[in-house]
Every structure is written in structure tokens, then in C-alpha cells.
Amino acid sequence: MQIVYAPVGGFYAEDNYYLKNIGHGFDVQVLETLCDVSDTLSVGEADIFYLSKHPQNLTQATINALEDRHRIVLIDSLQNLQDTCCLVTTTSHIAYAYTFYYQKPAIFFMPSFNSINIDAPQFIILQIIALFAHSLNSLKEQVLFCMRDSSKSEEIAEFLGKSLI
């Protein structure tokens, strides 16, 4: 199974070296973790699709930092991702488009939070479509869960099959 990584765009400030470095380092760590998960299962040539909204030079620098992995493919849309198991994002709204179209879960990677309370009624959709990871280890666990267990996809399909009004 393949994985999509779509971090939220706009984090990099063109004139701020420190923010660029932090954002680049964040993406490298996430992608390296996804490569590790992919290596455990050895599933093919293009295991990770990277949908980046960052400036091209920074996106390329991120991919170059992991060039020895040879499994990251830069994409510019969510088309033709039916063979993926999940989408990993930070807080990007693209998670909704992915989960509703492919009926597969999104994993929100939010390491600056210990937990997130999504029990309130306004978050009902997140309870259905999303999983949350707060560390690189929990990110690995959630991706492996999505690869091995289709229960979250079934829950999404059941939800979308109901009348929403």
C-alpha cells in the first residue's frame, strides 16, 4: 500500500531562514518516518506521494534530503491515488477531499499536542474520517493500522452512505 503526505501549505516564509529550516526539517522527519513504515512492508517503487504546497525549491530540497530512499514521488493533485491506504497531513483541509473521494482515512500528525478532544458534536466528521498521531512512533502505528486494517475505511463508507441531512 502507498501513502500520501500532504502538509499544510504556507508555513514557509520566503524571507525567514529559521521558519524555512524548521518547516523543511519537519517534512524530512515525517517523510523519513513514512519511508521506514514503507520499508517494513516493501511495497514497491513509489510508496510515498508528496503533495507539497511549499515553494518548489524547498520541496525539492526536502526530497533531495531523502534521495537515498528513492520512494518519494512529487504530485500536484489527489488524482489517481486509489491504491493508497491513507493521507498524512498536519492540518490541511485536503484531508476532507481525500477521505470523501477515496473513502480512506486521514492521519493528522500534530506533535505539538499531547491529545486532541474531538468529542464535541462539531467534530463528528473528524471522529469518522481521521486518526491522530502526536509523535513519530504513533504516526508509524497509525499508518501501519491503516495498511493492515480496513475498519476505518469501512466506517467512512458507511457514514457517506447515510443521509447527511
Side-chain angles (χ1 to χ4, degrees):
M1 284 262 169
Q2 300 165 323
I3 307 159
V4 182
Y5 177 50
V8 69
F11 179 71
Y12 295 104
E14 280 298 320
D15 59 342
N16 190 319
Y17 168 80
Y18 298 108
L19 284 180
K20 283 193 250 185
N21 193 46
I22 290 167
H24 170 72
F26 183 90
D27 283 354
V28 167
Q29 285 184 355
V30 171
L31 286 166
E32 193 166 39
T33 300
L34 297 177
C35 285
D36 290 345
V37 170
S38 181
D39 286 346
T40 9
L41 301 174
S42 188
V43 291
E45 250 179 67
D47 296 330
I48 299 158
F49 295 104
Y50 182 29
L51 179 61
S52 175
K53 299 297 181 191
H54 303 310
Q56 180 63 32
N57 62 329
L58 298 174
T59 298
Q60 196 56 53
T62 300
I63 292 172
N64 290 347
L66 297 164
E67 66 187 350
D68 60 321
R69 301 313 282 267
H70 299 290
R71 288 197 167 113
I72 300 167
V73 175
L74 189 61
I75 59 173
D76 59 5
S77 75
L78 290 177
Q79 293 180 343
N80 302 316
L81 298 174
Q82 59 273 9
D83 292 334
T84 58
C85 69
C86 62
L87 175 133
V88 175
T89 187
T90 45
T91 57
S92 181
H93 65 281
I94 204 157
Y96 293 103
Y98 175 84
T99 58
F100 293 161
Y101 187 77
Y102 292 111
Q103 297 182 8
K104 296 180 181 182
I107 300 170
F108 287 91
F109 180 57
M110 305 176 83
S112 59
F113 296 90
N114 291 327
S115 67
I116 295 178
N117 182 1
I118 59 167
D119 293 333
Q122 66 264 34
F123 297 124
I124 188 73
I125 291 176
L126 282 179
Q127 295 171 21
I128 294 165
I129 70 166
L131 299 165
F132 293 86
H134 305 291
S135 69
L136 292 173
N137 281 335
S138 67
L139 178 60
K140 282 182 190 179
E141 291 169 7
Q142 296 292 26
V143 171
L144 285 170
F145 171 78
C146 291
M147 289 179 160
R148 295 178 175 149
D149 187 323
S150 63
S151 61
K152 198 69 174 164
S153 293
E154 292 164 8
E155 187 179 352
I156 294 166
E158 181 182 335
F159 172 76
L160 293 175
K162 294 179 181 178
S163 176
L164 297 178
I165 297 178

PDB file of all heavy atoms in Angstrom, residues 60-94:
ATOM      1  N   GLN A  60      11.882  20.504  -3.357  1.00  0.00           N
ATOM      2  CA  GLN A  60      12.960  19.706  -3.943  1.00  0.00           C
ATOM      3  C   GLN A  60      14.064  19.447  -2.928  1.00  0.00           C
ATOM      4  O   GLN A  60      14.627  18.352  -2.881  1.00  0.00           O
ATOM      5  CB  GLN A  60      13.520  20.386  -5.196  1.00  0.00           C
ATOM      6  CG  GLN A  60      14.354  19.459  -6.047  1.00  0.00           C
ATOM      7  CD  GLN A  60      13.618  18.201  -6.479  1.00  0.00           C
ATOM      8  OE1 GLN A  60      12.532  18.266  -7.036  1.00  0.00           O
ATOM      9  NE2 GLN A  60      14.195  17.040  -6.193  1.00  0.00           N
ATOM     10  N   ALA A  61      14.355  20.424  -2.087  1.00  0.00           N
ATOM     11  CA  ALA A  61      15.369  20.233  -1.045  1.00  0.00           C
ATOM     12  C   ALA A  61      14.938  19.135  -0.078  1.00  0.00           C
ATOM     13  O   ALA A  61      15.761  18.331   0.370  1.00  0.00           O
ATOM     14  CB  ALA A  61      15.608  21.543  -0.299  1.00  0.00           C
ATOM     15  N   THR A  62      13.653  19.076   0.233  1.00  0.00           N
ATOM     16  CA  THR A  62      13.135  18.036   1.121  1.00  0.00           C
ATOM     17  C   THR A  62      13.297  16.666   0.481  1.00  0.00           C
ATOM     18  O   THR A  62      13.761  15.717   1.112  1.00  0.00           O
ATOM     19  CB  THR A  62      11.646  18.298   1.447  1.00  0.00           C
ATOM     20  OG1 THR A  62      11.536  19.575   2.084  1.00  0.00           O
ATOM     21  CG2 THR A  62      11.081  17.232   2.349  1.00  0.00           C
ATOM     22  N   ILE A  63      12.934  16.550  -0.779  1.00  0.00           N
ATOM     23  CA  ILE A  63      13.071  15.278  -1.481  1.00  0.00           C
ATOM     24  C   ILE A  63      14.552  14.890  -1.600  1.00  0.00           C
ATOM     25  O   ILE A  63      14.919  13.734  -1.389  1.00  0.00           O
ATOM     26  CB  ILE A  63      12.397  15.339  -2.865  1.00  0.00           C
ATOM     27  CG1 ILE A  63      10.878  15.438  -2.680  1.00  0.00           C
ATOM     28  CG2 ILE A  63      12.764  14.125  -3.715  1.00  0.00           C
ATOM     29  CD1 ILE A  63      10.109  15.697  -3.949  1.00  0.00           C
ATOM     30  N   ASN A  64      15.408  15.869  -1.899  1.00  0.00           N
ATOM     31  CA  ASN A  64      16.844  15.586  -2.029  1.00  0.00           C
ATOM     32  C   ASN A  64      17.449  15.081  -0.718  1.00  0.00           C
ATOM     33  O   ASN A  64      18.377  14.278  -0.733  1.00  0.00           O
ATOM     34  CB  ASN A  64      17.600  16.829  -2.489  1.00  0.00           C
ATOM     35  CG  ASN A  64      17.284  17.189  -3.928  1.00  0.00           C
ATOM     36  OD1 ASN A  64      16.705  16.402  -4.667  1.00  0.00           O
ATOM     37  ND2 ASN A  64      17.652  18.402  -4.315  1.00  0.00           N
ATOM     38  N   ALA A  65      16.929  15.552   0.407  1.00  0.00           N
ATOM     39  CA  ALA A  65      17.446  15.113   1.704  1.00  0.00           C
ATOM     40  C   ALA A  65      17.200  13.618   1.918  1.00  0.00           C
ATOM     41  O   ALA A  65      17.874  12.991   2.729  1.00  0.00           O
ATOM     42  CB  ALA A  65      16.795  15.918   2.827  1.00  0.00           C
ATOM     43  N   LEU A  66      16.247  13.073   1.179  1.00  0.00           N
ATOM     44  CA  LEU A  66      15.912  11.655   1.314  1.00  0.00           C
ATOM     45  C   LEU A  66      16.162  10.886   0.023  1.00  0.00           C
ATOM     46  O   LEU A  66      15.557   9.840  -0.213  1.00  0.00           O
ATOM     47  CB  LEU A  66      14.441  11.517   1.725  1.00  0.00           C
ATOM     48  CG  LEU A  66      14.105  12.124   3.086  1.00  0.00           C
ATOM     49  CD1 LEU A  66      12.615  12.288   3.235  1.00  0.00           C
ATOM     50  CD2 LEU A  66      14.680  11.280   4.199  1.00  0.00           C
ATOM     51  N   GLU A  67      17.058  11.383  -0.810  1.00  0.00           N
ATOM     52  CA  GLU A  67      17.247  10.795  -2.139  1.00  0.00           C
ATOM     53  C   GLU A  67      17.693   9.341  -2.098  1.00  0.00           C
ATOM     54  O   GLU A  67      17.446   8.587  -3.037  1.00  0.00           O
ATOM     55  CB  GLU A  67      18.212  11.630  -2.972  1.00  0.00           C
ATOM     56  CG  GLU A  67      19.628  11.655  -2.444  1.00  0.00           C
ATOM     57  CD  GLU A  67      20.503  12.625  -3.221  1.00  0.00           C
ATOM     58  OE1 GLU A  67      20.070  13.122  -4.267  1.00  0.00           O
ATOM     59  OE2 GLU A  67      21.610  12.885  -2.752  1.00  0.00           O
ATOM     60  N   ASP A  68      18.319   8.924  -1.010  1.00  0.00           N
ATOM     61  CA  ASP A  68      18.746   7.525  -0.924  1.00  0.00           C
ATOM     62  C   ASP A  68      17.559   6.576  -0.734  1.00  0.00           C
ATOM     63  O   ASP A  68      17.692   5.376  -0.905  1.00  0.00           O
ATOM     64  CB  ASP A  68      19.755   7.341   0.213  1.00  0.00           C
ATOM     65  CG  ASP A  68      19.192   7.727   1.569  1.00  0.00           C
ATOM     66  OD1 ASP A  68      18.449   8.730   1.633  1.00  0.00           O
ATOM     67  OD2 ASP A  68      19.491   7.035   2.552  1.00  0.00           O
ATOM     68  N   ARG A  69      16.393   7.124  -0.415  1.00  0.00           N
ATOM     69  CA  ARG A  69      15.205   6.285  -0.203  1.00  0.00           C
ATOM     70  C   ARG A  69      14.527   5.927  -1.527  1.00  0.00           C
ATOM     71  O   ARG A  69      13.903   4.897  -1.641  1.00  0.00           O
ATOM     72  CB  ARG A  69      14.195   6.993   0.700  1.00  0.00           C
ATOM     73  CG  ARG A  69      14.701   7.369   2.079  1.00  0.00           C
ATOM     74  CD  ARG A  69      15.452   6.288   2.826  1.00  0.00           C
ATOM     75  NE  ARG A  69      14.657   5.269   3.450  1.00  0.00           N
ATOM     76  CZ  ARG A  69      14.233   5.275   4.684  1.00  0.00           C
ATOM     77  NH1 ARG A  69      14.496   6.282   5.463  1.00  0.00           N
ATOM     78  NH2 ARG A  69      13.539   4.269   5.150  1.00  0.00           N
ATOM     79  N   HIS A  70      14.594   6.786  -2.514  1.00  0.00           N
ATOM     80  CA  HIS A  70      14.061   6.544  -3.860  1.00  0.00           C
ATOM     81  C   HIS A  70      12.600   6.106  -3.889  1.00  0.00           C
ATOM     82  O   HIS A  70      12.203   5.336  -4.738  1.00  0.00           O
ATOM     83  CB  HIS A  70      14.907   5.496  -4.608  1.00  0.00           C
ATOM     84  CG  HIS A  70      16.316   5.912  -4.791  1.00  0.00           C
ATOM     85  ND1 HIS A  70      16.685   6.925  -5.641  1.00  0.00           N
ATOM     86  CD2 HIS A  70      17.449   5.468  -4.218  1.00  0.00           C
ATOM     87  CE1 HIS A  70      17.996   7.080  -5.581  1.00  0.00           C
ATOM     88  NE2 HIS A  70      18.478   6.215  -4.733  1.00  0.00           N
ATOM     89  N   ARG A  71      11.816   6.562  -2.974  1.00  0.00           N
ATOM     90  CA  ARG A  71      10.421   6.143  -2.960  1.00  0.00           C
ATOM     91  C   ARG A  71       9.451   7.302  -2.884  1.00  0.00           C
ATOM     92  O   ARG A  71       8.265   7.094  -2.766  1.00  0.00           O
ATOM     93  CB  ARG A  71      10.173   5.222  -1.785  1.00  0.00           C
ATOM     94  CG  ARG A  71      10.798   3.880  -1.966  1.00  0.00           C
ATOM     95  CD  ARG A  71      10.167   2.909  -0.995  1.00  0.00           C
ATOM     96  NE  ARG A  71      10.525   1.575  -1.354  1.00  0.00           N
ATOM     97  CZ  ARG A  71      11.296   0.798  -0.619  1.00  0.00           C
ATOM     98  NH1 ARG A  71      11.773   1.220   0.516  1.00  0.00           N
ATOM     99  NH2 ARG A  71      11.577  -0.422  -1.018  1.00  0.00           N
ATOM    100  N   ILE A  72       9.932   8.505  -2.932  1.00  0.00           N
ATOM    101  CA  ILE A  72       9.059   9.664  -2.788  1.00  0.00           C
ATOM    102  C   ILE A  72       8.803  10.265  -4.163  1.00  0.00           C
ATOM    103  O   ILE A  72       9.740  10.593  -4.882  1.00  0.00           O
ATOM    104  CB  ILE A  72       9.690  10.701  -1.852  1.00  0.00           C
ATOM    105  CG1 ILE A  72       9.922  10.075  -0.477  1.00  0.00           C
ATOM    106  CG2 ILE A  72       8.801  11.936  -1.755  1.00  0.00           C
ATOM    107  CD1 ILE A  72      10.799  10.889   0.428  1.00  0.00           C
ATOM    108  N   VAL A  73       7.539  10.404  -4.506  1.00  0.00           N
ATOM    109  CA  VAL A  73       7.162  10.965  -5.798  1.00  0.00           C
ATOM    110  C   VAL A  73       6.356  12.236  -5.555  1.00  0.00           C
ATOM    111  O   VAL A  73       5.354  12.216  -4.829  1.00  0.00           O
ATOM    112  CB  VAL A  73       6.319   9.960  -6.618  1.00  0.00           C
ATOM    113  CG1 VAL A  73       5.823  10.593  -7.894  1.00  0.00           C
ATOM    114  CG2 VAL A  73       7.131   8.717  -6.909  1.00  0.00           C
ATOM    115  N   LEU A  74       6.792  13.321  -6.132  1.00  0.00           N
ATOM    116  CA  LEU A  74       6.096  14.597  -6.004  1.00  0.00           C
ATOM    117  C   LEU A  74       4.860  14.588  -6.892  1.00  0.00           C
ATOM    118  O   LEU A  74       4.936  14.231  -8.068  1.00  0.00           O
ATOM    119  CB  LEU A  74       7.038  15.731  -6.404  1.00  0.00           C
ATOM    120  CG  LEU A  74       6.563  17.151  -6.136  1.00  0.00           C
ATOM    121  CD1 LEU A  74       6.331  17.371  -4.655  1.00  0.00           C
ATOM    122  CD2 LEU A  74       7.598  18.135  -6.658  1.00  0.00           C
ATOM    123  N   ILE A  75       3.718  14.936  -6.323  1.00  0.00           N
ATOM    124  CA  ILE A  75       2.464  15.009  -7.086  1.00  0.00           C
ATOM    125  C   ILE A  75       1.869  16.394  -6.923  1.00  0.00           C
ATOM    126  O   ILE A  75       2.208  17.127  -5.992  1.00  0.00           O
ATOM    127  CB  ILE A  75       1.453  13.928  -6.641  1.00  0.00           C
ATOM    128  CG1 ILE A  75       1.119  14.062  -5.149  1.00  0.00           C
ATOM    129  CG2 ILE A  75       1.981  12.535  -6.969  1.00  0.00           C
ATOM    130  CD1 ILE A  75       0.023  13.147  -4.666  1.00  0.00           C
ATOM    131  N   ASP A  76       0.952  16.767  -7.827  1.00  0.00           N
ATOM    132  CA  ASP A  76       0.352  18.100  -7.733  1.00  0.00           C
ATOM    133  C   ASP A  76      -1.160  18.061  -7.551  1.00  0.00           C
ATOM    134  O   ASP A  76      -1.816  19.102  -7.567  1.00  0.00           O
ATOM    135  CB  ASP A  76       0.735  18.955  -8.942  1.00  0.00           C
ATOM    136  CG  ASP A  76       0.299  18.339 -10.253  1.00  0.00           C
ATOM    137  OD1 ASP A  76      -0.376  17.295 -10.239  1.00  0.00           O
ATOM    138  OD2 ASP A  76       0.632  18.910 -11.297  1.00  0.00           O
ATOM    139  N   SER A  77      -1.726  16.858  -7.400  1.00  0.00           N
ATOM    140  CA  SER A  77      -3.165  16.747  -7.147  1.00  0.00           C
ATOM    141  C   SER A  77      -3.448  15.404  -6.487  1.00  0.00           C
ATOM    142  O   SER A  77      -2.559  14.558  -6.349  1.00  0.00           O
ATOM    143  CB  SER A  77      -3.952  16.856  -8.451  1.00  0.00           C
ATOM    144  OG  SER A  77      -3.846  15.652  -9.186  1.00  0.00           O
ATOM    145  N   LEU A  78      -4.691  15.205  -6.114  1.00  0.00           N
ATOM    146  CA  LEU A  78      -5.099  13.950  -5.485  1.00  0.00           C
ATOM    147  C   LEU A  78      -5.587  12.913  -6.499  1.00  0.00           C
ATOM    148  O   LEU A  78      -6.140  11.894  -6.115  1.00  0.00           O
ATOM    149  CB  LEU A  78      -6.215  14.220  -4.470  1.00  0.00           C
ATOM    150  CG  LEU A  78      -5.818  14.959  -3.206  1.00  0.00           C
ATOM    151  CD1 LEU A  78      -7.025  15.216  -2.320  1.00  0.00           C
ATOM    152  CD2 LEU A  78      -4.769  14.189  -2.431  1.00  0.00           C
ATOM    153  N   GLN A  79      -5.394  13.163  -7.762  1.00  0.00           N
ATOM    154  CA  GLN A  79      -5.874  12.225  -8.777  1.00  0.00           C
ATOM    155  C   GLN A  79      -5.075  10.927  -8.759  1.00  0.00           C
ATOM    156  O   GLN A  79      -3.882  10.921  -8.489  1.00  0.00           O
ATOM    157  CB  GLN A  79      -5.778  12.857 -10.160  1.00  0.00           C
ATOM    158  CG  GLN A  79      -6.727  14.011 -10.344  1.00  0.00           C
ATOM    159  CD  GLN A  79      -6.619  14.629 -11.730  1.00  0.00           C
ATOM    160  OE1 GLN A  79      -5.650  14.420 -12.443  1.00  0.00           O
ATOM    161  NE2 GLN A  79      -7.626  15.390 -12.099  1.00  0.00           N
ATOM    162  N   ASN A  80      -5.781   9.844  -9.061  1.00  0.00           N
ATOM    163  CA  ASN A  80      -5.175   8.518  -9.242  1.00  0.00           C
ATOM    164  C   ASN A  80      -4.460   7.984  -8.002  1.00  0.00           C
ATOM    165  O   ASN A  80      -3.392   7.385  -8.105  1.00  0.00           O
ATOM    166  CB  ASN A  80      -4.207   8.521 -10.435  1.00  0.00           C
ATOM    167  CG  ASN A  80      -4.896   8.942 -11.710  1.00  0.00           C
ATOM    168  OD1 ASN A  80      -6.008   8.485 -11.989  1.00  0.00           O
ATOM    169  ND2 ASN A  80      -4.278   9.826 -12.457  1.00  0.00           N
ATOM    170  N   LEU A  81      -5.044   8.188  -6.844  1.00  0.00           N
ATOM    171  CA  LEU A  81      -4.449   7.704  -5.600  1.00  0.00           C
ATOM    172  C   LEU A  81      -5.286   6.588  -4.968  1.00  0.00           C
ATOM    173  O   LEU A  81      -5.217   6.363  -3.771  1.00  0.00           O
ATOM    174  CB  LEU A  81      -4.277   8.867  -4.619  1.00  0.00           C
ATOM    175  CG  LEU A  81      -3.341   9.977  -5.082  1.00  0.00           C
ATOM    176  CD1 LEU A  81      -3.358  11.146  -4.119  1.00  0.00           C
ATOM    177  CD2 LEU A  81      -1.919   9.451  -5.271  1.00  0.00           C
ATOM    178  N   GLN A  82      -6.051   5.880  -5.768  1.00  0.00           N
ATOM    179  CA  GLN A  82      -6.929   4.846  -5.249  1.00  0.00           C
ATOM    180  C   GLN A  82      -6.172   3.692  -4.595  1.00  0.00           C
ATOM    181  O   GLN A  82      -6.731   2.986  -3.759  1.00  0.00           O
ATOM    182  CB  GLN A  82      -7.885   4.320  -6.326  1.00  0.00           C
ATOM    183  CG  GLN A  82      -7.226   3.717  -7.536  1.00  0.00           C
ATOM    184  CD  GLN A  82      -6.878   4.745  -8.608  1.00  0.00           C
ATOM    185  OE1 GLN A  82      -6.979   5.956  -8.411  1.00  0.00           O
ATOM    186  NE2 GLN A  82      -6.439   4.251  -9.764  1.00  0.00           N
ATOM    187  N   ASP A  83      -4.900   3.503  -4.911  1.00  0.00           N
ATOM    188  CA  ASP A  83      -4.126   2.414  -4.319  1.00  0.00           C
ATOM    189  C   ASP A  83      -3.431   2.805  -3.015  1.00  0.00           C
ATOM    190  O   ASP A  83      -2.663   2.025  -2.469  1.00  0.00           O
ATOM    191  CB  ASP A  83      -3.082   1.899  -5.314  1.00  0.00           C
ATOM    192  CG  ASP A  83      -3.729   1.190  -6.493  1.00  0.00           C
ATOM    193  OD1 ASP A  83      -4.847   0.660  -6.334  1.00  0.00           O
ATOM    194  OD2 ASP A  83      -3.127   1.190  -7.576  1.00  0.00           O
ATOM    195  N   THR A  84      -3.689   4.011  -2.541  1.00  0.00           N
ATOM    196  CA  THR A  84      -3.088   4.452  -1.283  1.00  0.00           C
ATOM    197  C   THR A  84      -3.939   3.964  -0.116  1.00  0.00           C
ATOM    198  O   THR A  84      -5.114   3.652  -0.277  1.00  0.00           O
ATOM    199  CB  THR A  84      -2.958   5.987  -1.236  1.00  0.00           C
ATOM    200  OG1 THR A  84      -4.253   6.567  -1.391  1.00  0.00           O
ATOM    201  CG2 THR A  84      -2.035   6.490  -2.338  1.00  0.00           C
ATOM    202  N   CYS A  85      -3.337   3.906   1.064  1.00  0.00           N
ATOM    203  CA  CYS A  85      -4.082   3.446   2.243  1.00  0.00           C
ATOM    204  C   CYS A  85      -4.546   4.597   3.120  1.00  0.00           C
ATOM    205  O   CYS A  85      -5.515   4.458   3.859  1.00  0.00           O
ATOM    206  CB  CYS A  85      -3.244   2.483   3.063  1.00  0.00           C
ATOM    207  SG  CYS A  85      -1.838   3.244   3.889  1.00  0.00           S
ATOM    208  N   CYS A  86      -3.837   5.728   3.052  1.00  0.00           N
ATOM    209  CA  CYS A  86      -4.191   6.851   3.921  1.00  0.00           C
ATOM    210  C   CYS A  86      -3.471   8.105   3.446  1.00  0.00           C
ATOM    211  O   CYS A  86      -2.552   8.045   2.635  1.00  0.00           O
ATOM    212  CB  CYS A  86      -3.825   6.567   5.376  1.00  0.00           C
ATOM    213  SG  CYS A  86      -2.062   6.321   5.661  1.00  0.00           S
ATOM    214  N   LEU A  87      -3.908   9.226   3.984  1.00  0.00           N
ATOM    215  CA  LEU A  87      -3.270  10.509   3.740  1.00  0.00           C
ATOM    216  C   LEU A  87      -2.777  11.029   5.079  1.00  0.00           C
ATOM    217  O   LEU A  87      -3.538  11.041   6.055  1.00  0.00           O
ATOM    218  CB  LEU A  87      -4.268  11.492   3.138  1.00  0.00           C
ATOM    219  CG  LEU A  87      -3.737  12.913   2.943  1.00  0.00           C
ATOM    220  CD1 LEU A  87      -4.087  13.417   1.552  1.00  0.00           C
ATOM    221  CD2 LEU A  87      -4.313  13.850   3.987  1.00  0.00           C
ATOM    222  N   VAL A  88      -1.523  11.420   5.139  1.00  0.00           N
ATOM    223  CA  VAL A  88      -0.949  12.024   6.340  1.00  0.00           C
ATOM    224  C   VAL A  88      -0.844  13.514   6.085  1.00  0.00           C
ATOM    225  O   VAL A  88      -0.365  13.947   5.040  1.00  0.00           O
ATOM    226  CB  VAL A  88       0.448  11.431   6.647  1.00  0.00           C
ATOM    227  CG1 VAL A  88       1.084  12.149   7.827  1.00  0.00           C
ATOM    228  CG2 VAL A  88       0.345   9.931   6.901  1.00  0.00           C
ATOM    229  N   THR A  89      -1.325  14.300   7.044  1.00  0.00           N
ATOM    230  CA  THR A  89      -1.276  15.750   6.907  1.00  0.00           C
ATOM    231  C   THR A  89      -1.033  16.386   8.267  1.00  0.00           C
ATOM    232  O   THR A  89      -1.042  15.709   9.294  1.00  0.00           O
ATOM    233  CB  THR A  89      -2.578  16.282   6.261  1.00  0.00           C
ATOM    234  OG1 THR A  89      -2.430  17.685   5.984  1.00  0.00           O
ATOM    235  CG2 THR A  89      -3.789  16.041   7.140  1.00  0.00           C
ATOM    236  N   THR A  90      -0.824  17.668   8.265  1.00  0.00           N
ATOM    237  CA  THR A  90      -0.696  18.402   9.521  1.00  0.00           C
ATOM    238  C   THR A  90      -2.098  18.895   9.897  1.00  0.00           C
ATOM    239  O   THR A  90      -2.742  18.315  10.741  1.00  0.00           O
ATOM    240  CB  THR A  90       0.322  19.545   9.379  1.00  0.00           C
ATOM    241  OG1 THR A  90       0.069  20.225   8.139  1.00  0.00           O
ATOM    242  CG2 THR A  90       1.732  19.004   9.365  1.00  0.00           C
ATOM    243  N   THR A  91      -2.570  19.916   9.242  1.00  0.00           N
ATOM    244  CA  THR A  91      -3.941  20.384   9.487  1.00  0.00           C
ATOM    245  C   THR A  91      -4.618  20.753   8.183  1.00  0.00           C
ATOM    246  O   THR A  91      -5.537  21.564   8.166  1.00  0.00           O
ATOM    247  CB  THR A  91      -3.942  21.614  10.421  1.00  0.00           C
ATOM    248  OG1 THR A  91      -3.127  22.632   9.831  1.00  0.00           O
ATOM    249  CG2 THR A  91      -3.428  21.274  11.801  1.00  0.00           C
ATOM    250  N   SER A  92      -4.185  20.177   7.111  1.00  0.00           N
ATOM    251  CA  SER A  92      -4.675  20.576   5.804  1.00  0.00           C
ATOM    252  C   SER A  92      -6.112  20.140   5.555  1.00  0.00           C
ATOM    253  O   SER A  92      -6.508  19.022   5.868  1.00  0.00           O
ATOM    254  CB  SER A  92      -3.781  19.980   4.712  1.00  0.00           C
ATOM    255  OG  SER A  92      -4.241  20.376   3.449  1.00  0.00           O
ATOM    256  N   HIS A  93      -6.884  21.037   4.973  1.00  0.00           N
ATOM    257  CA  HIS A  93      -8.275  20.747   4.623  1.00  0.00           C
ATOM    258  C   HIS A  93      -8.377  19.705   3.512  1.00  0.00           C
ATOM    259  O   HIS A  93      -9.421  19.131   3.283  1.00  0.00           O
ATOM    260  CB  HIS A  93      -8.988  22.034   4.189  1.00  0.00           C
ATOM    261  CG  HIS A  93      -8.419  22.607   2.926  1.00  0.00           C
ATOM    262  ND1 HIS A  93      -7.254  23.344   2.911  1.00  0.00           N
ATOM    263  CD2 HIS A  93      -8.823  22.514   1.640  1.00  0.00           C
ATOM    264  CE1 HIS A  93      -6.983  23.690   1.666  1.00  0.00           C
ATOM    265  NE2 HIS A  93      -7.910  23.203   0.874  1.00  0.00           N
ATOM    266  N   ILE A  94      -7.281  19.421   2.846  1.00  0.00           N
ATOM    267  CA  ILE A  94      -7.290  18.436   1.766  1.00  0.00           C
ATOM    268  C   ILE A  94      -7.653  17.047   2.281  1.00  0.00           C
ATOM    269  O   ILE A  94      -8.059  16.180   1.515  1.00  0.00           O
ATOM    270  CB  ILE A  94      -5.937  18.436   1.020  1.00  0.00           C
ATOM    271  CG1 ILE A  94      -6.114  17.897  -0.380  1.00  0.00           C
ATOM    272  CG2 ILE A  94      -4.879  17.674   1.774  1.00  0.00           C
ATOM    273  CD1 ILE A  94      -5.053  18.356  -1.334  1.00  0.00           C
TER     274      ILE A  94
END
